[in-house]
Amino acid sequence: DAKTTQPTSMDCAEGRAANLPCNHSTISGNEYVYWYRQIHSQGPQYIIHGLKNNETNEMASLIITEDRKSSTLILPHATLRDTAVYYCIVFNAGGTSYGKLTFGQGTILTVHP
Amino acid sequence: SAVISQKPSRDICQRGTSLTIQCQVDSQVTMMFWYRQQPGQSLTLIATANQGSEATYESGFVIDKFPISRPNLTFSTLTVSNMSPEDSSIYLCSARRDTNTEAFFGQGTRLTVV
């Protein structure tokens, strides 16, 4: 699976949009971009995933560039409860990963009052 | 998504002993995995728990240290054997129905070895 690069940490004001970038320049055509987050002392929580098109759900939006080499997770109105480590993961559903997810170091997002 | 229950949620164990962690999913899943998260670190995959056959271990992890069982499509156990303080970590169970759906995680077992 392709490697991802994320900033180590980011800050965001409560009520503002949080935009978390992820670079995945070696992504291949059949690899998905998944986002998870891990709030302190909890297990990772699925947020959203996409292949080519932008995706939106009740938690967030995922914007994938046309060349698919980078993506941005957008939390439209960040709250204090969104403070967490956010992981961007590239996953090949049909490859030899057999469903395994490989976690990088992620981005520590801190939402300030 | 499904719900994963892990037991125990935390434990403090003596070195040289073993601890078995249970993972129960509230619906049948195709794949189950075990991860380790050392203090201040990201998640590292230990192994894939295969139903009815031996688990598939990642590089650096061996069956003698981390024996895994998966007797059916909703349950798995991970044993941490002959523990040392270096085994102090959070151990997480994960499952997914298939490769086209998201993986979900338990809340983890926080293990401290003294």
Side-chain angles (χ1 to χ4, degrees):
Chain A
D1 293 338
K3 183 178 177 179
T4 61
T5 303
Q6 299 178 251
T8 301
S9 63
M10 294 183 65
D11 290 337
C12 178
E14 188 177 21
R16 305 297 294 268
N19 297 282
L20 291 90
C22 179
N23 284 319
H24 31 78
S25 59
T26 60
I27 194 170
S28 63
N30 56 355
E31 290 182 315
Y32 288 78
V33 180
Y34 275 76
W35 283 85
Y36 282 78
R37 72 180 182 184
Q38 187 175 26
I39 297 170
H40 183 62
S41 297
Q42 297 184 20
Q45 176 190 22
Y46 166 79
I47 302 173
I48 198 168
H49 74 282
L51 182 63
K52 296 180 182 178
N53 300 321
N54 298 337
E55 302 287 345
T56 296
N57 63 20
E58 65 278 4
M59 289 183 66
S61 295
L62 174 61
I63 308 299
I64 303 174
T65 58
E66 192 170 345
D67 63 6
R68 302 205 328 118
K69 292 184 177 182
S70 66
S71 61
T72 301
L73 178 74
I74 301 172
L75 307 179
H77 306 287
T79 71
L80 299 179
R81 289 190 299 269
D82 292 321
T83 293
V85 180
Y86 287 77
Y87 296 100
C88 170
I89 302 168
V90 172
F91 173 71
N92 186 341
T96 56
S97 61
Y98 304 113
K100 302 180 292 188
L101 294 178
T102 301
F103 286 78
Q105 292 306 307
T107 296
I108 302 170
L109 174 69
T110 304
V111 181
H112 297 284
Chain B
S1 63
V3 175
I4 294 181
S5 300
Q6 270 188 247
K7 292 181 181 179
S9 58
R10 59 178 62 232
D11 207 343
I12 301 173
C13 299
Q14 296 291 321
R15 67 175 68 201
T17 64
S18 298
L19 176 71
T20 296
I21 303 168
Q22 297 181 358
C23 176
Q24 179 72 56
V25 188
D26 69 349
S27 58
Q28 293 186 346
V29 291
T30 304
M31 305 162 199
M32 294 184 75
F33 308 93
W34 287 98
Y35 289 82
R36 180 176 72 182
Q37 188 170 28
Q38 295 176 300
Q41 301 297 312
S42 183
L43 284 76
T44 300
L45 181 66
I46 298 172
T48 302
N50 299 309
Q51 194 258 329
S53 64
E54 190 172 289
T56 304
Y57 290 85
E58 298 298 307
S59 176
F61 297 95
V62 294
I63 188 171
D64 289 347
K65 177 66 176 177
F66 298 102
I68 288 171
S69 77
R70 189 178 171 196
N72 56 49
L73 294 177
T74 63
F75 186 77
S76 178
T77 65
L78 168 75
T79 299
V80 186
S81 302
N82 188 25
M83 288 183 285
S84 67
E86 292 72 32
D87 295 319
S88 297
S89 294
I90 298 173
Y91 292 86
L92 294 131
C93 175
S94 175
R96 67 193 308 172
R97 291 193 177 86
D98 55 57
T99 57
N100 294 312
T101 58
E102 70 271 21
F104 40 95
F105 290 79
Q107 291 303 295
T109 296
R110 184 179 296 272
L111 171 63
T112 302
V113 184
V114 297

